[in-house]
């Protein structure tokens, strides 16, 4: 499993958790369930209340800043706009002796599938509405917009990862 993929996934998790910390009146909970996590194949399950998430907000912002510095000059807002305007599309399809990669969108999700020697079979599924809230501003994340978007996703999976090395999902309950 790529360390960058895990770091990015965890950064998105931390951001999603921190986004809900802005509304102390709503009893939102972020739920995380990962199995086959790490080299020992352990499990990780969490249901975190907002009070706890608010207490780690500075660390969330620090993690997001670190992820943003690795963008290598890519105009994230323009890239996201082009993806969104294309509608349901197969953006990348690679099938070679070294592996397979598919990146596509459907009406609801941004989907990534990877198979190679390092990653046996990885599927990542992220709702487009979450991508919109996170990526539309480019490097500047509109915290209030993300919070409002997440509020509408209670009960939906925010992130779903399925591979032999790690299986997991992140979702919200109220």
């Amino acid at each position: 499993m790529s360390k960058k993929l895990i770091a990015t996934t965890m950064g998105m998790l931390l951001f999603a958790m921190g986004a809900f910390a802005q509304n102390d009146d709503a009893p939102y909970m972020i739920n995380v369930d990962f199995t086959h996590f790490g080299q020992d194949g352990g499990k990780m399950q969490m249901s975190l209340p907002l009070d706890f998430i608010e207490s780690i907000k500075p660390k969330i912002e620090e993690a997001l800043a670190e992820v943003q510095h690795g963008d290598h000059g890519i105009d994230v807002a323009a890239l996201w706009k082009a993806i969104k305007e294309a509608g349901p599309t197969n953006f990348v399809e690679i099938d070679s002796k070294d592996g397979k990669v598919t990146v596509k969108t459907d009406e609801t999700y941004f989907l990534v599938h990877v198979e190679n020697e390092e990653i046996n079979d990885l599927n990542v599924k992220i709702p487009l509405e979450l991508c919109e809230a996170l990526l539309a501003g480019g490097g500047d994340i509109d915290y209030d917009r993300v919070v409002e978007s997440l509020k509408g996703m209670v009960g939906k999976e925010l992130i779903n990862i399925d591979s032999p090395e790690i299986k997991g999902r992140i979702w919200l309950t109220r």
Side-chain angles (χ1 to χ4, degrees):
M1 174 63 63
S2 164
K3 289 180 183 179
K4 188 170 185 169
L5 176 62
I6 291 172
T8 301
T9 301
M10 295 310 289
M12 290 176 69
L13 163 67
L14 291 173
F15 180 75
M17 290 187 310
F20 271 101
Q22 295 294 307
N23 186 350
D24 294 330
D25 297 332
Y28 291 103
M29 298 288 283
I30 189 153
N31 303 282
V32 179
D33 184 3
F34 282 91
T35 58
H36 305 293
F37 188 79
Q39 292 186 359
D40 64 352
K43 289 185 171 186
M44 177 179 68
Q45 295 178 321
M46 294 186 292
S47 290
L48 300 172
L50 295 180
D51 291 341
F52 171 77
I53 295 166
E54 179 67 27
S55 72
I56 62 171
K57 184 178 175 187
K59 290 293 181 186
I60 293 167
E61 291 169 340
E62 182 181 312
L64 287 172
E66 187 175 316
V67 169
Q68 288 174 351
H69 289 303
D71 70 2
H72 304 291
I74 296 171
D75 184 344
V76 175
L79 177 62
W80 174 246
K81 181 180 178 192
I83 289 170
K84 185 173 61 173
E85 288 175 356
T89 303
N90 289 341
F91 291 101
V92 177
E93 290 186 48
I94 300 170
D95 189 353
S96 74
K97 65 180 175 102
D98 295 326
K100 296 179 182 181
V101 176
T102 304
V103 178
K104 65 182 184 178
T105 57
D106 64 15
E107 294 79 17
T108 311
Y109 295 99
F110 185 83
L111 304 155
V112 178
H113 176 79
V114 179
E115 290 180 49
N116 62 31
E117 287 184 21
E118 183 181 331
I119 302 171
N120 293 332
D121 187 15
L122 173 69
N123 291 294
V124 178
K125 179 171 109 171
I126 304 170
L128 292 176
E129 58 190 305
L130 180 57
C131 293
E132 172 70 17
L134 291 169
L135 302 174
D140 300 321
I141 295 175
D142 182 344
Y143 215 70
D144 292 333
R145 182 175 184 179
V146 172
V147 169
E148 288 306 310
S149 177
L150 288 170
K151 284 180 183 178
M153 291 186 236
V154 170
K156 293 181 184 179
E157 287 185 335
L158 298 178
I159 298 174
N160 182 308
I161 299 174
D162 184 9
S163 80
E165 294 83 17
I166 183 171
K167 294 184 187 308
R169 65 186 188 120
I170 301 169
W171 75 102
L172 301 168
T173 56
R174 188 167 184 190

